[in-house]
Amino acid sequence: MFNFEKEFLSDLNKEVKTGTTVMAVTFKGGVIIAADSRTSSGSYAVNRVTDKLTPVHDQIYCLRSGSAADTQIISSYVSYYTNMFSIEEGSKPTVKKAAHMFREFLYQNKQYLHAAIICAGWDPIEGGSVYSLPLGGSIVKQPFATGGSGSTYLYGYCDMNFKENMTEEEAEKFVTYGITEAIARDGGSGGIVRKAIIDKNGVRRKTVYGNKLKKFWEK
Amino acid sequence: MSGIGTGYDLYPTTFSPDGRIFQVEYAHKAVENSSTAIGLCCKDGVVFGIEKIILSKMLVEGTNRRVFSVGEHIGIATAGLTADGRRIVQNARQEAKNYENFTSDIIPIHVLTERLSIYVQVFTLYNYIRPFGCSLMIGSYDEEKGPSLYCIEPDSVALGFYGCAIGKGKQEAKTEISKLKLSEMTCKDAVKEIAKILIKTVHDETKEKEMELEMSWICKETKGKHKLVPKKLIEEAVEWVKGQENEED
């Protein structure tokens, strides 16, 4: 039997996911984080200008991939707790602290969640740091991290092009080209490239619009 | 036995006409009945010393502990009802563990002190639970921030000290402590000075039975971990005090 709803509207009832590409890279003096801007519900792009760079604290950001609802609620919990702790302690939280709070939420609730987070930022103790928190709730500190459906297309690119202690310009180019390439190849990623540079002076946000994205091998 | 607070002293939920809560003040009296404990914040750490009255020759040495570890890096010394003190320490250990599980960092001493004083305050609010009859000294040593010493009383007031004494002989002890130059003293010297104050000034040999010294420290030497002062050092300190007495005679 032909079912109109089942055939044509099934996409609209799918859970909203951030089929995504996100990257975070440490450089000499801080971190750069970058993401695409597509939120999809099946094949419908719910939001083509999403901001996936979510502030957790003054100089700590997180990159969200997986279920949009899950990641939003967890990042607002961690943001709440980092703010409360910083008032209690009288000093800003370290990236390590925020990342471990993410871990606690993701691990203790792993049955219910479909969320992967990259927590990156700058603090005076470690400088720039990037922590990767994949689906199961583990935590790994890395010099750079990628996440989301588009990240699969970037493993080779990152392995070949990443260097420790890059300058800010080099790191910016590294992430911009990476996200651009993932947008080109991954159906779940698209739109514009949003970037944020976090160092001891604070956060600077930048955007690269669709028509300005560099075209790699394309006819 | 009618005292000053008669009529207004049945429950912590009643203020007296001159604005005092007598149950909390009576809790202070419980602390003043106990033997003295001293905490000194020195150049390179914090040292605790407790005068323990030996109630019976049958008691094993080192039993009836009055100094406790919270995490590895914080020490708490109690005076007053020891059981009450142990209850608060249990809560402190819970707080420290939860903080560490959540943030992967060890709990800073001023955060723990704040939380304990909030906990103690709760027990001064209701008529079906009594205030804690103990004072606590909380000490820690950090490479960057240096040594810290706080004292929480039964009314939940938590103050930071360079040198502190609680219990029966706190007045005399505080007088002696104020004569010391704490910022120039090392922990090893503090062990001797505390022994001197407890043995000579505070402990009255004619009135009370024998005493045992329980001492612990958190310092550079212990790498910021709370440990009991080695028995050898305590024995040397006691010898030194005896030597001083003979000199003066």
Side-chain angles (χ1 to χ4, degrees):
Chain A
M1 259 289 281
F2 179 77
N3 186 335
F4 180 80
E5 273 180 24
K6 191 175 164 197
E7 297 298 318
F8 289 101
L9 301 180
S10 56
D11 273 359
L12 295 175
N13 295 325
K14 283 217 179 77
E15 190 190 356
V16 172
K17 286 190 186 225
T18 42
T20 290
T21 315
V22 294
M23 287 178 79
V25 170
T26 54
F27 67 93
K28 193 170 187 172
V31 298
I32 293 191
I33 56 177
D36 74 309
S37 66
R38 176 176 291 179
T39 311
S40 45
S41 172
S43 65
Y44 169 57
V46 174
N47 187 346
R48 62 185 174 92
V49 286
T50 321
D51 185 1
K52 301 178 190 176
L53 275 39
T54 312
V56 167
H57 200 77
D58 295 352
Q59 282 160 298
I60 305 176
Y61 268 65
C62 74
L63 298 162
R64 308 179 287 111
S65 52
S67 153
D70 291 350
T71 53
Q72 280 169 5
I73 200 84
I74 290 173
S75 58
S76 59
Y77 265 120
V78 173
S79 177
Y80 168 76
Y81 277 109
T82 47
N83 279 303
M84 295 306 290
F85 275 111
S86 70
I87 294 171
E88 208 179 1
E89 287 172 43
S91 59
K92 288 189 187 174
T94 56
V95 185
K96 182 179 169 200
K97 206 172 225 149
H100 276 85
M101 286 186 200
F102 271 115
R103 186 274 298 266
E104 200 60 17
F105 283 113
L106 289 172
Y107 177 71
Q108 297 296 347
N109 299 295
K110 62 196 296 184
Q111 311 98 291
Y112 311 110
L113 298 173
H114 187 82
I117 301 259
I118 296 174
C119 183
W122 184 91
D123 62 64
I125 301 174
E126 290 286 325
S129 359
V130 171
Y131 288 85
S132 183
L133 297 116
L135 246 39
S138 56
I139 179 170
V140 176
K141 184 173 198 280
Q142 295 175 307
F144 71 93
T146 56
S149 56
S151 65
T152 51
Y153 306 102
L154 295 180
Y155 288 125
Y157 167 79
C158 287
D159 284 350
M160 297 191 73
N161 291 305
F162 176 76
K163 293 187 309 264
E164 298 260 18
N165 284 324
M166 286 189 276
T167 63
E168 190 183 307
E169 287 77 29
E170 288 173 328
E172 207 178 322
K173 222 186 227 179
F174 177 74
V175 298
T176 314
Y177 289 173
I179 303 284
T180 309
E181 178 58 19
I183 287 174
R185 288 292 188 179
D186 177 36
S189 307
I192 59 182
V193 178
R194 292 196 192 275
K195 292 181 285 194
I197 303 154
I198 310 174
D199 58 16
K200 69 174 192 289
N201 299 319
V203 180
R204 279 169 287 141
R205 300 206 55 161
K206 293 189 182 178
T207 319
V208 183
Y209 293 109
N211 56 350
K212 295 280 191 297
L213 290 178
K214 191 167 162 121
K215 289 188 181 9
F216 296 109
W217 186 83
E218 251 180 66
K219 286 234 164 104
Chain B
M1 196 169 84
S2 66
I4 315 167
T6 313
Y8 305 106
D9 60 349
L10 280 182
Y11 309 111
T13 48
T14 314
F15 278 101
S16 74
D18 49 350
R20 293 151 74 179
I21 302 177
F22 279 103
Q23 275 299 306
V24 173
E25 296 196 11
Y26 296 162
H28 273 104
K29 295 250 184 327
V31 177
E32 277 162 39
N33 282 338
S34 108
S35 61
T36 317
I38 295 180
L40 292 186
C41 205
C42 315
K43 188 166 67 172
D44 59 342
V46 176
V47 187
F48 291 126
I50 306 184
E51 167 210 10
K52 279 164 68 178
I53 310 294
I54 301 176
L55 294 164
S56 151
K57 287 205 159 50
M58 288 288 106
L59 279 175
V60 175
E61 260 176 43
T63 199
N64 192 25
R65 175 65 53 78
R66 275 174 55 185
V67 74
F68 308 96
S69 285
V70 172
E72 285 183 319
H73 62 296
I74 295 180
I76 296 188
T78 61
L81 302 174
T82 318
D84 284 13
R86 284 211 294 265
R87 179 82 165 85
I88 302 179
V89 166
Q90 192 182 49
N91 181 273
R93 287 174 173 159
Q94 199 66 24
E95 288 282 354
K97 195 69 193 125
N98 285 338
Y99 187 96
E100 205 174 309
N101 281 344
F102 193 45
T103 66
S104 85
D105 258 347
I106 54 177
I107 190 167
I109 183 176
H110 65 280
V111 172
L112 178 67
T113 306
E114 182 91 24
R115 294 194 185 176
L116 285 183
S117 102
I118 291 171
Y119 178 69
V120 167
Q121 195 273 342
V122 170
F123 291 79
T124 65
L125 290 173
Y126 304 106
N127 70 347
Y128 50 84
I129 35 176
R130 63 167 175 81
F132 285 105
C134 67
S135 285
L136 306 168
M137 287 187 296
I138 308 170
S140 180
Y141 175 75
D142 183 71
E143 274 298 324
E144 285 169 18
K145 294 178 202 155
S148 318
L149 175 66
Y150 292 90
C151 181
I152 304 182
E153 314 235 282
D155 55 357
S156 93
V157 165
L159 301 169
F161 286 94
Y162 297 111
C164 180
I166 46 180
K168 206 178 291 178
K170 74 171 188 220
Q171 277 310 112
E172 300 106 331
K174 280 187 179 173
T175 321
E176 292 299 313
I177 292 172
S178 61
K179 296 178 192 163
L180 300 171
K181 278 218 172 87
L182 290 170
S183 55
E184 292 163 22
M185 200 184 275
T186 62
C187 282
K188 284 218 170 103
D189 293 335
V191 169
K192 292 199 185 127
E193 293 294 339
I194 291 179
K196 184 171 167 192
I197 298 173
L198 287 176
I199 297 174
K200 279 190 65 187
T201 318
V202 166
H203 185 70
D204 191 342
E205 276 183 6
T206 54
K207 281 194 189 154
E208 285 156 351
K209 305 181 183 183
E210 277 178 52
M211 69 167 268
E212 184 193 331
L213 262 182
E214 183 172 308
M215 301 189 78
S216 74
W217 56 8
I218 316 100
C219 56
K220 214 170 189 169
E221 236 181 80
T222 65
K223 298 203 177 80
K225 300 209 193 299
H226 178 238
K227 298 220 163 111
L228 289 175
V229 173
K231 212 164 167 194
K232 196 159 152 266
L233 270 176
I234 302 183
E235 282 166 7
E236 281 172 17
V238 173
E239 286 301 310
W240 177 81
V241 173
K242 290 211 178 105
Q244 293 255 302
E245 270 177 16
N246 291 336
E247 273 174 32
E248 277 165 37
D249 288 339

